[in-house]
């Protein structure tokens, strides 16, 4: 690591320790994402692996659609709120709503409610969680200096992902000890509410206006919500560094959706490997491996970005993901899924952190919330669309994995990664080309 890189890392640590509001924002993220990890893993483990609730690929795809797509519909409203209303107030109130929804889901599980009813409540919890994360990302530039933003964001996003994985591991441990059941799931979801309550209390500690936006107005009209949402896409299109990174984010979510469905079906069989256990335990180990890859990305991305630039960083990560998908995932061997999860976790998080850095430095504060809302839409729609497409190819009535069909789906993920790498490279080359001979690049960060 060079002296400049060491200085950047030190500056990032100092900003978290000494910048007003930064330690509180870190604690808020940790508390919120620990609870999110527990809640989502508990429900996922019960619904995907509980014989009483587990379904075929079509049911799994429908479950993910119910959990993720509705937020994409309200995303434009959420993005406008983040750009119009005091973010500290929004985060505090969102924490209260999430706490109540988690307790509601817990009550439903104890009462033995149907999977549909539980998923409807869970979709609201996940939607609020995504909204909170978008608000935290949009607020970060208000508590961290610009010079330390990339390194700090990389650390915070990935620490949040690792903490979420820890929460998921706790939930998986509970399910492993008690067995995937409504009672075990209810216990895990009840404990996860502690994270939402802690996040609410931390958000209430911020002074009004401390987290932006620059010109908050609770009385702003809402009739221009659709126009604001479209303006977020326009801002992405007009900012090549953001567009290239979001193409990579979308491709990763497509491949991740495919791999998630295939992995669940493979782990259900449980007899393909003598090393990786099947069922919810194998699922937990794979999630842990992905989290380890994300942690490595947090350490590597601040070093790679100043040395390679955003375009080369994104393209390099996508090439790594392409090779991993084409060699490890395509084998459909659970033993290799841990290594694949680690490498894809690293590659995907590197692309995500690069996208965050571009949005936080190249997008104006009064538009940033909308652009993060666009990212959330890409995140959810790409994932759910990929799961649904893979379910159709594998067979909607199949419980076990169809090897030939699964390989076709995995190869589609290879194509998605490779195409995204080519598109990102093309965008980077076009925008970095000097307008006149000998002129400097108009986009030095690319």
């Amino acid at each position: 690591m060079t002296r400049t890189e060491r200085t950047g890392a030190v500056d990032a640590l100092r900003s978290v320790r000494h910048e007003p509001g930064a330690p509180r924002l870190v604690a808020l993220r940790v508390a919120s994402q620990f609870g999110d990890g527990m809640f989502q893993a508990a429900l996922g483990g019960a619904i995907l692996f509980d014989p009483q609730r587990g379904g075929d690929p079509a049911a799994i795809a429908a479950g993910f659609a119910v959990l993720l797509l509705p937020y994409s519909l309200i995303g434009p409203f959420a993005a406008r709120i983040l750009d119009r209303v005091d973010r500290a107030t929004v985060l505090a109130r969102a924490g209260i709503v999430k706490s109540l929804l988690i307790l509601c889901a817990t009550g439903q599980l104890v009462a033995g409610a149907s999977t549909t009813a539980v998923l409807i409540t869970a979709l609201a919890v996940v939607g609020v969680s995504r909204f909170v994360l978008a608000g935290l990302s949009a607020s970060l530039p208000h508590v961290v200096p610009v010079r330390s933003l990339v390194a700090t964001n990389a650390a915070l996003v990935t620490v949040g992902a690792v903490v979420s994985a820890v929460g998921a591991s706790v939930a998986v441990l509970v399910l492993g000890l008690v067995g995937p059941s409504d009672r075990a799931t209810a216990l895990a979801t009840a404990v996860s509410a502690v994270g939402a309550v802690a996040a609410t209390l931390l958000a209430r500690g911020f002074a009004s206006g401390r987290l932006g936006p620059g010109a908050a107005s609770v009385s702003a009209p809402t009739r221009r919500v659709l126009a604001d949402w479209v303006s977020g896409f326009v801002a992405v299109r007009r900012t090549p560094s953001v567009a290239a990174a979001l193409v990579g984010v979308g491709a990763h979510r497509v491949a991740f959706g495919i791999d998630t469905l295939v992995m669940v079906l493979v782990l259900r069989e449980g007899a393909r490997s003598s090393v990786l256990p099947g069922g919810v335990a194998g699922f937990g180990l794979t999630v842990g491996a992905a989290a380890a890859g994300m942690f490595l990305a947090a350490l590597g991305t601040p070093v790679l970005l100043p040395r390679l630039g955003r375009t080369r960083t994104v393209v390099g990560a996508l090439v790594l993901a392409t090779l991993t998908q084409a060699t490890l995932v395509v084998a459909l061997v659970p033993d290799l899924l841990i290594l694949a999860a680690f490498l894809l976790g690293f590659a995907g998080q590197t692309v995500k952190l690069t996208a965050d850095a571009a949005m936080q430095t190249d997008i104006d504060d009064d538009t940033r919330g909308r652009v993060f809302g666009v990212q959330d839409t890409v995140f959810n729609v790409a994932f759910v669309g990929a799961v649904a497409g893979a379910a159709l190819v594998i067979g909607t009535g199949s419980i076990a994995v169809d090897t030939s069909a699964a390989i076709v789906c995995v190869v589609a993920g290879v194509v998605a990664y490779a195409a995204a790498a080519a598109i990102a490279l093309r965008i980077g080359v076009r925008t970095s080309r000097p307008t006149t001979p000998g002129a400097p690049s108009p986009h030095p960060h690319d």
Side-chain angles (χ1 to χ4, degrees):
M1 182 180 289
T2 66
R3 180 177 179 181
T4 300
E5 290 158 357
R6 286 195 301 269
T7 300
V10 171
D11 285 345
L13 293 175
R14 287 177 176 172
S15 70
V16 172
R17 290 183 56 192
H18 302 297
E19 291 294 328
R24 182 176 291 273
L25 196 70
V26 173
L28 198 163
R29 185 167 206 131
V30 168
S32 180
Q33 291 198 252
F34 177 83
D36 290 346
M38 279 202 71
F39 181 82
Q40 294 174 20
L43 281 181
I47 292 173
L48 296 178
F49 295 101
D50 183 358
Q52 300 300 320
R53 291 184 180 270
D56 60 17
I60 294 173
F64 280 122
V66 169
L67 285 173
L68 299 178
L69 285 185
Y71 179 75
S72 298
L73 300 178
I74 67 171
F77 295 89
R80 185 176 182 86
I81 291 173
L82 293 175
D83 288 338
R84 294 290 190 274
V85 183
D86 177 60
R87 289 173 187 152
T89 300
V90 170
L91 290 173
R93 293 179 179 176
I96 294 173
V97 171
K98 186 164 73 169
S99 301
L100 295 175
L101 288 171
I102 290 174
L103 294 179
C104 179
T106 301
Q108 288 176 320
L109 289 166
V110 172
S114 67
T115 298
T116 300
V118 175
L119 284 176
I120 289 174
T121 303
L123 79 87
V125 175
V126 173
V128 175
S129 296
R130 292 300 307 167
F131 176 63
V132 169
L133 290 180
L136 290 172
S137 296
S139 301
L140 187 61
H142 288 270
V143 297
V144 173
V146 173
R147 68 180 183 277
S148 304
L149 194 57
V150 171
T152 303
N153 181 73
L156 296 187
V157 170
T158 305
V159 164
V162 171
V163 168
S164 179
V166 171
S169 298
V170 174
V172 168
L173 178 62
V174 172
L175 295 177
L177 293 175
V178 182
S181 64
D182 286 349
R183 179 174 298 181
T185 303
L187 175 61
T189 56
V191 175
S192 73
V194 174
V197 172
T200 300
L201 296 176
L202 289 165
R204 289 174 62 87
F206 285 106
S208 178
R210 182 67 182 88
L211 301 180
S217 174
V218 297
S219 60
T222 59
R223 62 180 179 272
R224 288 181 53 83
V225 168
L226 181 58
D228 279 352
W229 189 57
V230 172
S231 73
F233 280 96
V234 172
V236 170
R237 183 177 61 83
R238 292 180 177 176
T239 312
S241 61
V242 176
L246 284 187
V247 167
V249 169
H252 175 67
R253 293 296 287 178
V254 167
F256 185 69
I258 292 171
D259 295 348
T260 297
L261 179 61
V262 171
M263 179 187 68
V264 169
L265 296 176
V266 169
L267 291 177
R268 276 181 177 178
E269 295 183 4
R272 295 189 175 209
S273 171
S274 60
V275 176
L276 181 65
V280 68
F283 185 78
L285 287 176
T286 307
V287 170
M294 292 178 182
F295 179 76
L296 181 61
L299 301 178
T301 303
V303 176
L304 293 174
L305 279 177
R307 179 170 296 177
L308 301 179
R310 291 175 185 159
T311 298
R312 292 187 184 91
T313 300
V314 169
V315 171
L318 291 172
V319 169
L320 173 63
T322 302
L323 295 175
T324 301
Q325 187 81 2
T327 57
L328 298 179
V329 181
V330 76
L332 301 182
V333 176
D335 287 348
L336 298 179
L337 286 178
I338 289 185
L339 179 57
F342 173 79
L343 293 174
L344 292 179
F346 171 80
Q349 190 72 349
T350 298
V351 174
K352 173 67 167 58
L353 293 175
T354 305
D356 286 350
M359 286 185 283
Q360 289 169 335
T361 58
D362 297 350
I363 300 293
D364 293 335
D365 187 51
D366 59 355
T367 311
R368 191 177 298 127
R370 276 164 277 180
V371 174
F372 272 101
V374 169
Q375 179 178 243
D376 282 335
T377 299
V378 171
F379 226 71
N380 295 335
V381 172
F383 180 85
V384 173
V387 174
L392 290 175
V393 173
I394 292 174
T396 55
S398 174
I399 298 299
V401 62
D402 182 328
T403 301
S404 299
I407 290 177
V408 171
C409 294
V410 172
V411 170
V414 175
V415 174
Y417 276 133
I423 292 172
L425 181 60
R426 179 179 179 133
I427 292 174
V429 170
R430 185 176 68 245
T431 57
S432 62
R433 185 180 296 117
T435 55
T436 58
S441 169
H443 297 280
H445 293 296
D446 294 340

